[in-house]
Amino acid sequence: IKYQTSDPHAQHAQIEVLARDAAAVTARYPGRAEPLIWQGIAESEHAAMSSGLSALADAKASRRTFEMAYQLDRTALDAGAPTSLGTLYYRVPGFPIGFGDKAKARHYLVEAVTLVPDSMDANYFYGDFLITQGEYAAAGKVLQHALASPPHPDRPIWDSGRRAEIRALLAKVNA
């Protein structure tokens, strides 16, 4: 949806359907971190595409979903729960508007790259976070490491899209 659907309204509608489908899978497999992580990803993408109080409500829902996954298995899906929690904490505004917290973001993202050092996503989001903190040299190293991660032949669209995002961030760092 993110990499192949260019119309924002179509993306939003497709993400809504995906979030509902993911919640149904989660209900079928209680006690499993993997479906919770996918549900949280769909919820957080929906939040990113929404605005105002709706976006904050979606972000809070995804945080709860990721926290449940984190309690079950922090390493599932290449440390998907700590990666996603860290991402939420640096992308959501802080108090009084939202729950964003740069220290929590750093904690979760460092944990993710420590648990799964070669995860493309964990390194991508940690590198993006470091850019937001003005830590360009460290971000460049983390992003280069992300780019060097092995290809994911079972997820070629995601792999190609994520690598393009990493290259764009590296260009930003180099600028």
Side-chain angles (χ1 to χ4, degrees), residues 67-80:
E67 287 171 342
M68 288 187 285
Y70 183 87
Q71 293 304 314
L72 291 169
D73 185 356
R74 296 178 304 155
T75 63
L77 297 178
D78 281 349

Side-chain angles (χ1 to χ4, degrees), residues 28-65:
R28 275 200 320 258
Y29 298 96
R32 295 294 312 241
E34 297 86 352
L36 283 166
I37 292 167
W38 284 115
Q39 178 182 341
I41 289 169
E43 291 166 346
S44 66
E45 286 295 330
H46 190 262
M49 295 176 186
S50 299
S51 60
L53 294 177
S54 174
L56 185 57
D58 289 337
K60 286 180 178 178
S62 66
R63 179 181 63 174
R64 286 189 299 273
T65 303

Side-chain angles (χ1 to χ4, degrees), residues 106 126-127 129-142 173:
R106 185 180 298 272
Y126 185 40
F129 168 75
L130 291 170
I131 290 170
T132 69
Q133 302 305 294
E135 300 175 37
Y136 298 105
K141 289 178 185 173
V142 170
V173 165

